[in-house]
Amino acid sequence: KKIIEARARVISCSRLLPRMVNFPKELKTFCNGKCQKHTKWKVTQYKKGKDSLFAQGKRRYDRKQAGFGGQTKPVFHKKAKVTKKITLKMKCEKCSALRMKNLGRCKHFELGAEKKKKGPTIHGR
């Protein structure tokens, strides 16, 4: 019974979105490429590339849209999500190996911002 309660607690906590994620611009981790050891990796936020005009789906869509008849495919309007999933692109500084890391959803994402210090704050006047 205790195990079931603990699992329920973990599941309910995992559903909550973190308000802010702060990730370092550089980190040291293992490189599976040529290095085969711990090296420095440069971290950037992944951005989607420009859509190709010659992809099969785009060619099919343009062919169907051509001529008279108006909009032929449904246009999506029921946007439900508030956040986007954050994906990081990591590059090894030695061998230039690339690795993607999915962070999931968060309201606010920062890369390389100063860490917040814990403990009592003393305000001087």
Side-chain angles (χ1 to χ4, degrees):
K1 189 176 179 182
K2 286 182 181 178
I3 295 170
I4 294 168
E5 288 175 10
R7 281 187 183 162
R9 235 181 284 130
V10 169
I11 290 167
S12 64
C13 291
S14 66
R15 287 186 185 149
L16 300 173
L17 285 175
R19 287 202 183 124
M20 192 171 84
V21 175
N22 183 12
F23 207 88
K25 282 187 179 179
E26 271 189 354
L27 71 129
K28 199 172 182 184
T29 187
F30 188 77
C31 178
N32 275 331
K34 295 176 188 172
C35 302
Q36 290 293 316
K37 60 182 181 180
H38 278 73
T39 53
K40 276 190 177 179
W41 290 67
K42 202 170 218 171
V43 181
T44 52
Q45 193 172 349
Y46 167 77
K47 295 267 194 292
K48 184 173 148 329
K50 188 180 170 188
D51 288 334
S52 171
L53 293 172
F54 303 107
Q56 179 61 59
K58 177 70 174 149
R59 284 181 282 151
R60 187 183 295 122
Y61 177 75
D62 289 342
R63 185 90 178 105
K64 195 170 185 181
Q65 285 289 94
F68 298 108
Q71 183 68 36
T72 59
K73 299 280 250 173
V75 179
F76 185 72
H77 292 297
K78 295 181 180 180
K79 186 173 180 280
K81 300 283 186 274
V82 182
T83 58
K84 293 228 182 264
K85 287 184 179 179
I86 303 293
T87 304
L88 299 178
K89 190 166 79 173
M90 295 162 47
K91 187 174 183 178
C92 177
E93 289 187 353
K94 293 267 172 71
C95 69
S96 300
L98 284 170
R99 188 186 295 171
M100 303 293 230
K101 183 179 176 68
N102 183 20
L103 287 186
R105 297 182 184 280
C106 64
K107 292 269 186 185
H108 186 80
F109 175 73
E110 287 181 353
L111 198 61
E114 286 184 28
K115 289 184 179 177
K116 288 184 179 175
K117 294 191 173 126
K118 290 185 179 178
T121 53
I122 302 164
H123 298 286
R125 290 185 183 219

